[in-house]
């Protein structure tokens, strides 16, 4: 069974959606550890509620970014982690982690990449005036939100949307496609060829990877 390590910095609603998808049997995997950079993260309580070890690693206690991520890798490896899930981890991850877990780190981003990478993807979409936005699950490489796209979901953007209302609409889709992408990985249905992610399986399996449409 796939062993997952989750990195999160805050609220952890995506973390919760993964916990729930495992509990319901939708994903056959186990979460061996939550690592957070924020001692006040709400995600810590979620881990405790489900008997998942929560580890607080504060970057400021480490000499530099690389040293921090060497420690993160150590803690993930010693707990048997095979897939790293960034669930609202508010940092650009360091090279030691990306190198060690090549195509084994997934992130959720609240926009349709490659549009609106970085912070505040929802606000960027509103400010630009797009009519459709959404969310993206992608593999993590050394850039900011640049890795191969696994699954996306689209939502409409309305004229009277605020950052909050659009974020809420997108978040509902995040909670569907993140577990879906992890399920596909856990079932070994994902292959990466250059920039492209190929999903193995029946036509119906592939059709469900656009749940927002
Ligand atoms: C989500 O909007 C996600 O797309 C982004 O950070 C937010 C995390 O929310 N990467 P939560 O902590 O999972 O509730």
């Amino acid at each position: 069974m796939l062993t997952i390590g989750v990195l999160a910095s805050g609220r952890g609603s995506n973390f919760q959606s993964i916990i729930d998808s495992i509990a319901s049997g939708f994903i056959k995997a186990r979460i061996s550890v939550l690592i957070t950079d924020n001692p006040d993260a709400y995600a810590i309580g979620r881990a405790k509620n489900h008997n998942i070890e929560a580890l607080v690693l504060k970057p400021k206690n480490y000499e530099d970014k690389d040293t921090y991520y060497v420690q993160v890798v150590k803690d993930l490896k010693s707990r048997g982690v095979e897939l790293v899930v960034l669930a609202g981890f508010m940092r650009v991850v360091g090279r030691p982690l990306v190198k060690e877990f090549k195509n084994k780190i997934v992130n959720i981003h609240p926009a349709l990449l490659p549009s609106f990478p970085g912070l505040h993807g929802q606000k960027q979409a509103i400010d630009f005036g797009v009519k459709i936005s959404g969310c993206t699950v992608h593999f993590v490489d050394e850039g900011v939100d640049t890795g191969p796209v696994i699954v996306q979901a689209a939502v409409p953007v309305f004229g009277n949307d605020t950052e909050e209302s659009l974020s809420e609409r997108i978040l509902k889709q995040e909670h569907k496609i993140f577990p879906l992408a992890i399920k596909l990985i856990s079932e070994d249905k994902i292959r990466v060829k250059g920039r492209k992610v190929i999903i193995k399986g029946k036509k119906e399996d592939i059709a469900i990877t656009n749940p927002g449409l």
Side-chain angles (χ1 to χ4, degrees), residues 105-119:
I105 309 173
V106 289
N107 181 46
I108 180 97
H109 181 74
L112 291 176
L113 293 171
S115 292
F116 315 130
L119 291 175

Side-chain angles (χ1 to χ4, degrees), residues 180-192:
L180 174 61
I182 294 166
K183 176 188 172 71
L184 291 168
I185 292 169
S186 73
E187 292 172 354
D188 198 25
K189 288 190 174 151
I190 299 279
R191 291 287 175 272
V192 185

Side-chain angles (χ1 to χ4, degrees), residues 10-15 87-88 90 108-110 122 171 174:
R11 180 177 57 180
S13 71
N14 278 288
F15 175 39
M90 303 309 284
I108 180 97
H109 181 74
Q122 305 94 330
L171 194 64
E174 293 185 30

